[in-house]
Amino acid sequence: MSGKGKSGAGQASHGMVMRLVLGVVGGWRRWVTVAAAIIAIGMAYHVVFGQNGLTAYQRKTHDAHTLDGQLKSLQHENDLLKAHIDRLKDDPNAIEHQAREELHYTRPGEVIYTLPAAPAGSVQVTTSDAKQ
């Protein structure tokens, strides 16, 4: 009997040690799992909202499209102005039209009638031939 008693006590202490080891290992695993989850959440937050995250990427893409549209508009305006300059260099009628429009030049015998200023502040200029 004394042999059985020692054996039972040994098994009980062995079982208690096993439970303690499993408890420590199980607790360690829980802490590692929690730490990994926290790190994963932090990385996901950084990927979405970080300095170069998805929101910044979308904002930069939108800005790039806006700037691309402005660039095309300015290139079109630039082409129109270049064509206008070429007409002013080569076409005397274009020079005359520009002088009449901006400087209010007239030909001999023409009269300019100026109407009262519109509420928007624009001035309407009408030219007519005096021979009529």
Side-chain angles (χ1 to χ4, degrees), residues 37-53:
I38 290 172
I39 289 171
I41 290 170
M43 289 180 70
Y45 180 82
H46 180 69
V47 165
V48 174
F49 300 107
Q51 184 176 3
N52 292 319

Side-chain angles (χ1 to χ4, degrees), residues 57-115:
Y57 174 75
Q58 289 175 340
R59 185 174 51 251
K60 289 177 184 178
T61 303
H62 180 265
D63 291 346
H65 287 299
T66 303
L67 291 173
D68 197 29
Q70 288 177 355
L71 177 64
K72 287 179 182 178
S73 173
L74 290 173
Q75 285 175 340
H76 179 69
E77 182 182 350
N78 204 11
D79 291 341
L80 291 175
L81 290 173
K82 283 181 183 178
H84 186 69
I85 289 171
D86 290 340
R87 279 193 310 274
L88 288 175
K89 284 181 180 177
D90 299 332
D91 187 9
N93 291 332
I95 295 170
E96 180 183 349
H97 177 72
Q98 190 77 22
R100 286 171 168 266
E101 189 176 301
E102 288 186 14
L103 303 174
H104 307 292
Y105 281 7
T106 61
R107 288 186 177 165
E110 288 183 338
V111 179
I112 296 179
Y113 295 102
T114 305
L115 300 176

Side-chain angles (χ1 to χ4, degrees), residues 3-24:
K4 276 188 168 183
K6 286 183 181 179
S7 170
Q11 283 181 354
S13 67
H14 178 58
M16 202 157 84
V17 169
M18 251 340 230
R19 272 188 254 128
L20 181 64
V21 168
L22 288 175
V24 170

